[in-house]
């Protein structure tokens, strides 16, 4: 988990740590997060806790003490994952998904970097431009070729 504005973290340094986890199957997953201050780098923060005044001015952030002692916290949660898209599994041309020329979307997964997914296109007029859109990637990115 990170608090640096990358890998699913919305705002760097806001004290909210995030991660993107690529679940490949529907099901219930148990997630356990361990936090400690073994390296004595933990600090108190008021980021996100202060509400602006009616005139829009920001309240003065309080001076917070440093955290000198070590601590250990554990948090557990159950996540229910559903509607995971189709996975072509073996990354081979056998059993390739058929693409139809009516612009129907096909659910699939990008399993790993350089994942190879195969599709078979029938009844497509190759004298016209052919576009392939990849949508709904993590964080809403869109790729088009």
């Amino acid at each position: 988990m990170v608090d640096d504005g990358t890998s699913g973290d919305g705002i760097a340094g806001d004290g909210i740590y995030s991660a993107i986890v690529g679940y490949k199957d529907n099901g219930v997953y148990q997630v356990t997060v361990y936090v400690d201050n073994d390296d004595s780098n933990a600090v108190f923060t008021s980021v996100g806790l202060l509400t602006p005044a009616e005139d829009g001015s920001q309240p003065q952030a309080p001076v917070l003490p440093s955290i000198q002692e070590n601590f250990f916290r554990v948090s557990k949660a159950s996540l229910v994952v559903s509607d995971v898209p189709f996975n072509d599994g073996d990354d081979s041309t056998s059993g390739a998904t058929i693409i139809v020329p009516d612009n129907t979307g096909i659910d699939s997964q990008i399993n790993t970097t350089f994942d190879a997914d195969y599709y078979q296109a029938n009844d497509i007029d190759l004298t016209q431009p052919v576009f392939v859109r990849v949508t709904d990637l993590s964080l809403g990115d869109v790729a088009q070729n």
Side-chain angles (χ1 to χ4, degrees), residues 80-93:
V80 177
V81 176
S82 60
D83 297 327
V84 172
F86 164 78
N87 177 7
D88 69 351
D90 65 358
D91 292 337
S92 70
T93 58

Side-chain angles (χ1 to χ4, degrees), residues 97-141:
T97 302
I98 305 296
I99 297 175
V100 292
D102 68 354
N103 208 23
T104 301
I106 299 173
D107 288 337
S108 186
Q109 286 184 15
I110 298 175
N111 308 30
T112 60
T113 302
F114 304 111
D115 177 35
D117 290 331
Y118 293 92
Y119 300 91
Q120 180 178 337
N122 297 335
D123 302 322
I124 293 179
D125 182 0
L126 295 178
T127 64
Q128 299 297 317
V130 175
F131 294 93
V132 175
R133 281 186 304 275
V134 179
T135 61
D136 298 326
L137 297 174
S138 178
L139 304 179
D141 295 336

